[in-house]
Amino acid sequence: MPTSNHQQPAAGTSTWHLHLEGQVQGVGFRPFVYRLAGEHGLNGWVNNTVDGVHVEINAGEAAARTFLDDLIEKAPRLSRIVRHRIEPAEEQVFTGFNIIQSHAEGPANLLLTPDFAICEDCRKELLTPENRRFGYPFITCTNCGPRFSIARTLPYDRETTTMAVFKMCPVCEAEYENPLDRRYYSQTNSCPKCPVELQFFTHAGALIPEEPGRIIELVSRLWEEGKIIAIKGIGGYLLTCDAANDKALETLRQRKHRPSKPFALMFPDIETLRRTASLRPEEADLLLGPESPVVLVESEPSMLIAPGLSQTGAMLPYTPLYELLLRSFGKPIVATSGNRSNSPIVFRDEKALDDLGGIADFILTNNREIAVPQDDSVVRFTPFHKKKIILRRSRGMAPTFINSTLAGRGQNVFAGGAMMKSTFALLHRQNIYLSQYLGDLESFETEENYRHTVQHFFRLLGAKPDCIVADKHPNYPSTIFSRQLAADLGIPFKTVQHHLAHFAAVLGEYLLTDQPEPVLGVIWDGTGLGDDGMVWGGEFFSFANGSFRRSGHFGYFNFILGDKMPREPRISALSACHGLDGAELVLRKKFTETEWRLYTSMLNKGSALQTSSVGRIFDAVASLLGVSDLQTYEGEAAMLLENRALRYLRLHGLAFSDHYPAAPAKDGVIPTAALMQGILQDLQAGLSRDFIAAKFHYSLAVLVKTVARQSGLRKIAFSGGVFQNSVLVDFIIHCLGQDFELYFHEALSPNDENVAFGQLVLEQSGFDEMLL
């Protein structure tokens, strides 16, 4: 193991042990400690274990504490230290400073490091003809490359990852063992002499034997010819084609059964993107950073890229392979998840050949195994106030989540999450692990992927929960799985209400659970089982003194036709507007005569199941305005309605004076019918539909302000999928930002991805049951 020869310890020194926990593996931490010890003239050692990084040094107490302060202050930029301690150790005399062998004994107690995009140093080497890694598609160093996606067990060392089967050549091994080299202890180190190998197949599974450089050229030529290529990335396969080839786009949509859901685009570089889109500094910074997510940017995408929308999901090449491919092609490509509709991203090679051969014309894979799949993360910023909104938290972000809300809690807890936008959470040895986005649990394959990822986390961490918590809905696959897991392990199982978990998630994210001031919670989404058996989704809660109270909600309207209602906004409009003046004139033409008779008869009789869902209200308004009657993907109607509102606001700004009546009654119920009647009246008056869309969004912000003033609460927390809407968030900041403290999710998505964390907070905080 590497050794440096420092001076002999001075008289009066003793031995000190330092323990650092957090995201400290896979980020070049041991080489950093080695070099810093040299700067301080200290002897000792550093190693990785399953509970972090350990250091022992010979030093006086003052020198040891100075060294610790320097460790924390100058730590590698990709590291995140969450806990540290220093204490005297058994006296030893060290000669030199060593990096010693990692130890895998004991329970895991450290954060899992996410995957990182290619760094600038590696990009420069990749593109420099004189460099020995010139054109090598799997160049990495301690500052970039796969981490979480290749880890099998802990600690994070080469032999515990899917890189274990790749033996380093003598030159790579020398780099790996040289403390002054950027690849010192880089577990993903390889080169053209000891390579991860590309393999290129036809859609029928026939291998096309080519050298790596020729494969890059071949893929570029095939894109030019309009072919669809499935490419293995860090967390799974992407389906790609020329973004400017309409025939290729139509073919991809047809084969993937994706008629209108937007495609993300990968651009060769930031300059090419700037020529296509209006790119703001905060968006560019995120695209160029180590997370490198998909970022929604203002543009005018074609109807085949993002139908009806004025934003494009843009990303930059985040792996060296994509860097080479995009530089060769020189134009943007579509880069969408490699899967069939409603299935999880494909990450196993044999499944790619089986499943993606019916979509892609060719498949580009490699022989480095992916241990756990991940989709690309997706982020947007609001157009006026530039508020960051995470739409999908996955590659580059998960599973790291540093938060002290649950610090000191002794139990290990598994939280099963929700059904849509599923994730799970694990509290293990005081660390919080939030899984990557796992998709909607509506298919057997997605459920299997959920179970696979849960077991991967348990195996990786050596974790066994003491109790399990899940959503109150008994038929959610995540709840069924969690209940069975608790039974198999013989441990307690409990359920919590869906929207309460949303509220707890934002409270926990901002450490508001233990502060004395009451908080108003505004929790709006599409669906969740309420404590009264109804479908909630337009809720106001208050939190004070460890107790929750449902203080208000949108007025109930009939929930009919089961899952057909969320898929068809026209049904939400029919229900929310039932019995209102002018409704039949607008709505009848959207239905056949048979449908109209059947559905209105159901509404006249009344449904036992009612809903307060703001998600369904957005659907209803979208249908009234002629934006969407039938959705082809979840959230489509709301996105198109938001786009209509944004079109008006870009011309007129956020200043508004008129709003729809929606003040709550004394019992806290907001009159949904009055809101819908106002919209119908504006339609009858012939007002612009873009104006009505903007006025609707503004009215919701005014409603929140009215409720907040009536409650007397100054702190307001927001959660639920509705707050993915950038126009609504901007209106709320515009209307309430001066007078109230507003808390929107920052590190989590507002959608159901955060439910699992909220379940952890509720289970571990011991709050009182909610009062209806």
Side-chain angles (χ1 to χ4, degrees):
M1 286 295 166
T3 303
S4 63
N5 295 311
H6 303 151
Q7 62 195 30
Q8 291 294 317
T13 62
S14 53
T15 303
W16 294 89
H17 187 96
L18 288 66
H19 183 196
L20 301 108
E21 300 176 65
Q23 187 172 294
V24 291
Q25 294 189 13
V27 292
F29 208 93
R30 287 175 294 175
F32 158 71
V33 174
Y34 180 97
R35 289 189 292 269
L36 192 67
E39 293 175 15
H40 282 252
L42 298 175
N43 295 337
W45 55 258
V46 58
N47 78 340
N48 272 350
T49 73
V50 293
D51 66 350
V53 169
H54 291 262
V55 184
E56 286 203 357
I57 53 173
N58 291 141
E61 181 173 356
R65 295 191 180 279
T66 298
F67 178 61
L68 175 60
D69 291 342
D70 243 11
L71 276 178
I72 296 167
E73 182 181 344
K74 299 176 181 177
R77 70 185 184 95
L78 297 177
S79 67
R80 302 177 73 178
I81 300 169
V82 295
R83 287 182 293 274
H84 59 83
R85 70 172 187 269
I86 181 171
E87 58 191 7
E90 182 179 343
E91 288 296 329
Q92 297 183 65
V93 176
F94 302 114
T95 56
F97 195 90
N98 302 306
I99 293 181
I100 65 175
Q101 185 67 41
S102 298
H103 296 298
E105 295 82 14
N109 184 22
L110 75 164
L111 296 177
L112 301 174
T113 304
D115 301 319
F116 299 121
I118 182 173
C119 68
E120 282 306 308
D121 288 332
C122 282
R123 181 178 282 109
K124 182 177 179 181
E125 292 175 349
L126 178 72
L127 304 174
T128 301
E130 296 76 22
N131 191 277
R132 74 186 193 90
R133 289 187 174 87
F134 172 65
Y136 176 55
F138 300 96
I139 185 172
T140 64
C141 69
T142 54
N143 298 319
C144 67
R147 300 291 192 272
F148 174 56
S149 63
I150 63 171
R152 293 190 186 280
T153 59
L154 296 175
Y156 178 76
D157 283 311
R158 193 178 182 102
E159 59 268 24
T160 63
T161 73
T162 61
M163 287 295 296
V165 297
F166 297 94
K167 179 175 174 55
M168 284 184 282
C169 69
V171 180
C172 282
E173 197 157 5
E175 292 172 331
Y176 183 85
E177 294 180 352
N178 180 2
L180 301 180
D181 196 286
R182 196 175 83 254
R183 294 185 173 87
Y184 183 43
Y185 269 64
S186 173
Q187 309 304 337
T188 53
N189 199 24
S190 64
C191 77
K193 299 293 186 183
C194 53
V196 177
E197 297 176 335
L198 288 175
Q199 295 172 310
F200 198 47
F201 294 89
T202 68
H203 69 93
L207 178 65
I208 302 174
E210 289 285 0
E211 293 296 316
R214 281 283 300 127
I215 289 175
I216 300 299
E217 295 172 3
L218 182 57
V219 169
S220 181
R221 178 168 59 80
L222 290 169
W223 278 335
E224 287 282 5
E225 294 174 3
K227 302 301 184 184
I228 298 167
I229 317 290
I231 301 175
K232 184 179 181 180
I234 287 182
Y237 283 80
L238 294 182
L239 290 165
T240 68
C241 70
D242 180 358
N245 189 317
D246 287 353
K247 185 176 179 181
L249 293 170
E250 289 170 353
T251 301
L252 180 56
R253 287 201 176 278
Q254 182 182 20
R255 291 179 183 175
K256 206 169 187 282
H257 304 293
R258 184 172 176 157
S260 55
K261 190 174 183 180
F263 285 139
L265 301 186
M266 185 181 290
F267 290 79
D269 49 50
I270 199 78
E271 290 76 22
T272 307
L273 176 55
R274 283 197 171 104
R275 290 196 293 269
T276 304
S278 175
L279 192 63
R280 299 185 298 185
E282 62 274 10
E283 295 165 342
D285 288 346
L286 201 53
L287 285 163
L288 294 168
E291 295 172 346
S292 193
V294 176
V295 178
L296 300 192
V297 298
E298 287 300 317
S299 66
E300 292 298 331
S302 77
M303 287 299 291
L304 288 170
I305 299 293
L309 301 176
S310 60
Q311 288 192 318
T312 300
M315 61 177 140
L316 298 178
Y318 54 85
T319 72
L321 175 59
Y322 290 139
E323 181 75 25
L324 293 170
L325 289 168
L326 269 292
R327 280 188 176 266
S328 175
F329 190 55
K331 299 181 292 184
I333 61 168
V334 164
T336 188
S337 295
N339 57 4
R340 296 185 180 276
S341 184
N342 298 320
S343 295
I345 189 170
V346 173
F347 71 102
R348 292 191 174 98
D349 300 334
E350 63 276 11
K351 189 170 180 61
L353 293 170
D354 290 341
D355 286 11
L356 299 183
I359 304 175
D361 299 302
F362 297 90
I363 298 171
L364 178 57
T365 185
N366 64 73
N367 63 340
R368 182 176 64 199
E369 189 178 345
I370 297 171
V372 63
Q374 299 174 86
D375 286 272
D376 294 314
S377 294
V378 184
V379 178
R380 75 186 310 185
F381 292 87
T382 64
F384 295 96
H385 290 282
K386 303 177 182 178
K387 181 69 178 174
K388 179 182 173 184
I389 303 173
I390 296 176
L391 303 179
R392 183 197 292 161
R393 184 179 173 277
S394 199
R395 176 191 54 78
M397 297 182 179
T400 297
F401 186 66
I402 297 175
N403 181 283
S404 62
T405 293
L406 303 177
R409 312 289 179 178
Q411 282 193 310
N412 297 327
V413 184
F414 174 79
M419 177 170 174
M420 306 297 285
K421 308 288 190 296
S422 68
T423 63
F424 60 83
L426 185 63
L427 177 63
H428 175 68
R429 297 180 65 83
Q430 300 186 42
N431 292 317
I432 300 169
Y433 305 91
L434 298 185
S435 81
Q436 67 275 31
Y437 160 87
L438 296 170
D440 301 336
L441 299 179
E442 296 180 313
S443 72
F444 175 76
E445 285 185 324
T446 310
E447 290 183 41
E448 280 292 294
N449 184 49
Y450 176 94
R451 287 188 282 267
H452 162 81
T453 308
V454 171
Q455 294 304 324
H456 180 76
F457 269 71
F458 285 175
R459 183 171 57 252
L460 199 60
L461 298 166
K464 180 183 177 183
D466 300 312
C467 64
I468 292 177
V469 59
D471 194 278
K472 183 167 283 189
H473 198 301
N475 296 324
Y476 279 0
S478 55
T479 302
I480 295 170
F481 170 83
S482 298
R483 183 185 295 110
Q484 185 59 54
L485 180 62
D488 292 344
L489 296 175
I491 58 177
F493 171 74
K494 68 182 291 186
T495 60
V496 297
Q497 201 279 325
H498 181 89
H499 299 93
L500 212 57
H502 267 302
F503 190 16
V506 68
L507 291 174
E509 185 174 344
Y510 284 97
L511 312 182
L512 297 175
T513 54
D514 295 325
Q515 59 87 42
E517 189 174 347
V519 183
L520 175 68
V522 184
I523 314 300
W524 294 349
D525 66 1
T527 185
L529 178 63
D531 282 353
D532 59 0
M534 300 303 176
V535 178
W536 289 6
E539 313 308 310
F540 290 90
F541 298 103
S542 60
F543 172 74
N545 302 317
S547 295
F548 293 91
R549 185 173 70 88
R550 188 191 190 201
S551 54
H553 62 87
F554 274 81
Y556 286 138
F557 51 100
N558 290 300
F559 192 94
I560 60 172
L561 300 170
D563 290 341
K564 188 176 177 70
M565 187 168 177
R567 291 196 298 267
E568 300 186 18
R570 61 181 186 146
I571 297 173
S572 292
L574 184 65
S575 178
C577 297
H578 182 60
L580 300 182
D581 292 340
E584 183 172 349
L585 181 65
V586 176
L587 293 173
R588 185 158 192 157
K589 60 191 174 188
K590 299 176 184 291
F591 301 89
T592 67
E593 284 300 316
T594 300
E595 287 174 332
W596 184 264
R597 286 196 304 272
L598 176 61
Y599 298 167
T600 54
S601 174
M602 294 173 67
L603 292 170
N604 288 333
K605 292 177 182 177
S607 171
L609 189 60
Q610 303 279 302
T611 184
S612 60
S613 168
V614 174
R616 300 291 76 79
I617 291 173
F618 266 85
D619 288 351
V621 176
S623 179
L624 288 179
L625 299 188
V627 170
S628 175
D629 289 328
L630 303 173
Q631 299 194 98
T632 65
Y633 60 90
E634 194 260 335
E636 180 179 10
M639 291 169 63
L640 294 171
L641 183 64
E642 176 192 12
N643 199 66
R644 281 290 192 104
L646 185 57
R647 197 159 64 184
Y648 178 87
L649 297 175
R650 291 217 177 276
L651 296 174
H652 302 281
L654 291 173
F656 244 89
S657 58
D658 193 18
H659 61 86
Y660 295 115
K666 289 183 179 179
D667 60 0
V669 176
I670 292 94
T672 303
L675 173 65
M676 304 309 294
Q677 188 69 72
I679 293 170
L680 286 167
Q681 288 171 354
D682 277 357
L683 280 171
Q684 291 167 350
L687 297 183
S688 156
R689 294 179 184 233
D690 290 359
F691 167 80
I692 296 172
K695 182 178 175 181
F696 166 66
H697 284 79
Y698 175 69
S699 299
L700 295 178
V702 171
L703 168 64
V704 173
K705 188 172 186 177
T706 301
V707 172
R709 282 179 169 170
Q710 290 179 355
S711 72
L713 304 182
R714 289 194 67 257
K715 294 181 184 291
I716 313 174
F718 302 85
S719 190
V722 168
F723 295 106
Q724 296 172 117
N725 185 307
S726 64
V727 169
L728 178 59
V729 171
D730 266 345
F731 263 136
I732 290 172
I733 295 171
H734 177 74
C735 293
L736 289 82
Q738 295 295 317
D739 302 319
F740 299 90
E741 295 179 40
L742 308 179
Y743 298 91
F744 295 96
H745 287 289
E746 185 72 24
L748 303 175
S749 172
N751 65 37
D752 279 5
E753 289 183 30
N754 73 58
V755 166
F757 175 60
Q759 290 168 348
L760 282 186
V761 173
L762 287 171
E763 202 287 328
Q764 283 292 279
S765 299
F767 295 135
D768 294 342
E769 291 294 323
M770 181 175 59
L771 303 173
L772 283 173

